[in-house]
Amino acid sequence: MRSGPVRLSELVRLVPDASKKALRAQLRDLETAQIVMHRDLSDLVLHVEHDFASEMKQIVCPLLDQLARWGDS
């Protein structure tokens, strides 16, 4: 979500050890906390994307950068 909206199927591919059910539950929790936005772009085919809320992206991305640097060390 750092570079743009993602679909649940993309998250499942990126985090193969996490179940779809667990990812969906975490996304709902993040939506409730207004950290992530859920956008339903469905027309004829189901199309839902998740992205950081605009005001949260500025807060969350630097934290993710720090965690990535810590994980690399």
Side-chain angles (χ1 to χ4, degrees):
M1 284 185 266
R2 294 179 65 181
S3 59
V6 294
R7 297 179 74 171
L8 180 60
S9 58
E10 292 175 75
L11 291 174
V12 169
R13 278 193 300 276
L14 292 169
V15 189
D17 292 338
S19 71
K20 191 182 249 187
K21 181 178 179 181
L23 285 172
R24 192 177 294 125
Q26 290 298 310
L27 285 169
R28 277 194 210 112
D29 289 346
L30 291 169
E31 289 168 30
T32 300
Q34 297 182 345
I35 295 171
V36 169
M37 294 177 4
H38 170 102
R39 275 188 289 219
D40 188 347
L41 305 171
S42 300
D43 190 17
L44 296 175
V45 177
L46 179 64
H47 183 111
V48 176
E49 294 180 340
H50 298 85
D51 197 4
F52 287 121
S54 58
E55 60 276 355
M56 295 307 293
K57 194 169 205 167
Q58 297 170 341
I59 297 167
V60 173
C61 286
L63 292 172
L64 292 174
D65 292 339
Q66 287 286 42
L67 285 172
R69 281 193 288 278
W70 177 72
D72 288 340
S73 59

